[in-house]
Structures are given as C-alpha cells and as structure tokens.
DNA sequence: ATAAAATTCACATCTTTATGCTATAGCGCT
DNA sequence: AGCGCTATAGCATAAAGATGTGAATTTTAT
C-alpha cells in the first residue's frame, strides 16, 4: 500500500544564509511526503525577488533571523505584507528577549532554536500546519516572564472605591464619565483621584495608565 | 559504574484529581533518577495542608487545572505566595485562551496538554529546571496571537512625526515633555496632536493610550 | 515643476485636570 | 464616646489639554 497521502501538502519556503544549513533543511524536508519546498534563499531580499516567479506561493516560511542585509525580523513584516496568509516560523541562534518579542510582534507564528534536530523540526512544522505555535522552552520563558504577575503595588494598597476610580482612568474615561459610572459627583471623583495620586506617587492620569503596562523586560 | 548523579535532584509536587493519572505521573517520575516526588494529592486544598509537614518543599509542582474545589489557577496564586521560589507547570485538558492567560498571569512557568506522553513530560520538566518554559504548541498559539501586530490602524496611517507624538503620549508624557523630547515647540506638539486626533477619531490622550492595549482575545 | 502633504510655529479660547483646603456622614475599633 | 479611615461633596485656582484658525517652510509625489 502506498504511504498515506496528505490532503494539504505544506508548501515551504526557507530563508537561511548558511548554505550548509539551508541545504540540510531543504533536502531533509523536501524528502518528507508532507512537504514541498518551493523556494530556498540565502537572503530575505532574494526571497522576495523570486517570490513572484512561483506558481504557488509558500504557505509556511522557515526564516533565520541573523541574515546578511535585511534581518529576518525586518523581513518578516515585509513578507507578511506580501503574503498575509503565510505563517512564518523563526529559526535563530539568538533567543534574547528583544528578538523574541520583536519577532512575535511582527507576527511570527513560532520561534525555535537553531539547534533543533531535523526530525523534531519536522514535527514542529506539522504542528504549525495543525494550528500550533512551537516555541523552544528558552524562548517561551521570555513569554511566561512577560505575563508573570506584576509586583502588586509598591505603594499602599488602594481602597475598593479608589480601585474603581483607577479602573475608570485605565479605561480612558474623563472625570465626568467616571462620576457618571460610579453615580457620584465630579468633586468626589476629584477627591478620590487626589488620594490615589498621593498613594501611588503619581500626578497625572497618564502615569496611572503607563503604570499598568507590562514591561518588555529588555527596556 | 553507577548512573550519573545529579547535583540538583528536582523535588516534585503533583496535584491531580484523577487517581489513575496521578499515580501514573508520580510512579513514572519517581522512578527517574532526576526526580523525587515528595507530595502528590488529589486537590489543591490537601496539597497546601500537607505542605508544612514536608522536610523539603517541592521546587517544581505539576498541577492540573480542572480540580474539584479550588481550581489549579486559583491555587496557583496561593501556592506561589506560600513558596515564592517554586515553579509551577500547568497540565490541563483545557487549552482555551482564558485559562492559558490566567495561568500565565498567575505565574505559571509553563502549560502543557494533558495528553503529553510521559517521556516527553519528563523532558519538559528537565527543561523547566534548566530555565525553560515548555508550552504545548496549541497553548503557545494563544500567546503568538496575543503579540501579533494589531491591525495597523483602522484610520488613515500616521506620518512618522505623528507616530513620534503618539509614542510620547503612550509613554505618559505631557505636551511639554513631548516637545522637549522632539526638540520642537509646544504649539507644534499641539498641532500634531490635533491632526492625530482627527485621523484616529479620538479626542483625548487617554483614548490614545487605551487604543494600544493588546486585547486578551477572550474579552 | 507643481501640487499635495508634512512639519513647524503662533495666538486664542474653552475644557479638563491637578491640587489645596474644608467638611459631613457612616463604620469599625478601643 | 472618641479615633481613624472611607466615602462623599463643595469651592477655588493654576496648569495642562483640546480645538479653531492661520501661515511659512520643507519634503514627497505626480
């Protein structure tokens, strides 16, 4: 009996400057029945140039980050603009927070270390096609750290009513709208806000709002 | 020769209500030389009760989410309060965005599907000990979606200078400080902000700031 | 090259915020 | 009963923000 056929063969693109790695990737993956590799280049520029020549554009691109010329992250935005449906899996020796978040914010679907062995890489590519987002554990650690609870509040804790007020500010409401929402007078809102400012050592709504932003660790 | 010894044996705790799964986990893992399992309970309440009796507290807890009584996520905050250094790896049949983000925000170090085979689970636990954050691809997908670029701007796109202004607002700066940062006059900042407000259909700094919040998808 | 857009700045006006001071009513605690 | 804290509210003032109009200069695109 013939090997199982796949309703959707994954059409691969590869961007990787080191020829040895690039060839190893494309040869190994192209040999798998689940994949076709339609474009494999050493630079992002070349990839984008040759893209229009293809009969079928890739559905999944495996991209290095440390590329000569345009980096994989800069290229990511361009590539996703040209092919909005494409999924891009980053492959990099670098797993620092800055690059990881930049890649994710540009829409990378996953982020793997370059040391990932080929058979595992194949598994990960299949997982992408199945709606997953493979991430090396060291990469994912940046992400979990990002979501980790912020230290409660360095200042004295706020009373329930003061927290209502802060919520209003964080929702971008004016004093007037906060007053309406809480069914109190404008001056009462002023009173509470004054108290909140004292406790949190701030002196503008803007500072309240930035205060709750999750820091991107490398900033 | 004796099998390799481990400078740091990982001291495990397990919280899982289904006895069959709990036993399979603790038996399999306790049989590995890298692990010691010091506490294995069917509920979070029981886990916290028995915690003080231990000679050595766990350094890594494997916790189910769908527990009777206190859920794994509610318990996560309590557990991390009692043992601030502990790392908690969630194990759940549920991989919906709500639970994933809630767990991460409570400080979970990773999040795996319950279907993870035991040998792979062991690998993931070792990766946690090595500073990694294992996440099942379907879990990580929520995360990548969270970081994915927001649809550029439903309004007309902003000029570079206008983007500088918006960045200033998002950083919580006053008009004066934005002017200083960009080395322009206060009135110039006013001009740009007026223009930005027109383009984005807002009319306060606060609306600019809420605008950039990344939605948690399930809200 | 010429029009359109972007960047800069000024002056005016009105609204919203920030901040100080004061005060009353209700609650829980000693 | 008295103390401290919370929640409410008012009045006043100065600073910051929002908004209109106008205009000169530079950059970008047709």
């Amino acid at each position: 009996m013939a090997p199982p056929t796949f309703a959707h063969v994954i059409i691969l693109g590869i961007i990787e400057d080191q020829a040895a790695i690039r060839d190893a990737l494309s040869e190994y993956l192209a040999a798998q029945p689940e994949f076709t590799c339609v474009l494999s280049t050493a630079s992002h520029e070349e990839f984008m140039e040759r893209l229009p020549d293809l009969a079928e554009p890739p559905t999944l691109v495996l991209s290095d980050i440390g590329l000569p010329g345009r980096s994989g992250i800069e290229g990511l935005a361009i590539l996703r603009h040209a092919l909005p449906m494409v999924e891009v899996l980053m492959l990099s020796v670098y797993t620092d927070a800055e690059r990881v978040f930049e890649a994710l914010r540009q829409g990378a679907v996953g982020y793997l270390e370059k040391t990932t062995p080929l058979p595992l890489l194949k598994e990960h590519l299949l997982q992408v096609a199945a709606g997953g987002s493979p991430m090396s554990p060291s990469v994912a650690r940046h992400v979990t750290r990002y979501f980790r609870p912020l230290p409660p509040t360095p200042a004295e804790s706020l009373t329930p009513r003061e927290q209502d007020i802060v919520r209003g500010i964080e929702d971008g409401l004016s004093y007037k709208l906060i007053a309406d929402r809480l069914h109190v007078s404008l001056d009462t809102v002023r009173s509470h806000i004054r108290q909140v400012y004292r406790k949190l050592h701030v002196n503008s709504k803007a500072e309240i709002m930035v205060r709750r932003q999750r820091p991107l660790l490398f900033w």
Side-chain angles (χ1 to χ4, degrees), chain A residues 81-117:
Chain A
H81 191 261
L83 293 177
M85 298 306 293
V86 77
E87 309 217 74
V88 183
L89 183 58
M90 307 310 285
L91 198 61
S92 178
V93 281
Y94 309 105
T95 60
D96 56 289
E98 181 158 10
R99 265 176 269 234
V100 168
F101 285 119
E102 223 11 81
L104 292 180
R105 292 205 293 179
Q106 292 301 331
V109 76
Y111 196 118
L112 299 176
E113 292 179 78
K114 228 170 181 173
T115 55
T116 309

Side-chain angles (χ1 to χ4, degrees), chain A residues 47-48 51 54 57-61 76-88:
Chain A
F47 193 90
M48 293 309 294
L51 205 48
L54 299 176
T59 56
L60 206 175
V61 173
L76 179 50
I78 298 170
L79 176 57
R80 276 176 42 85
H81 191 261
L83 293 177
M85 298 306 293
V86 77
E87 309 217 74
V88 183

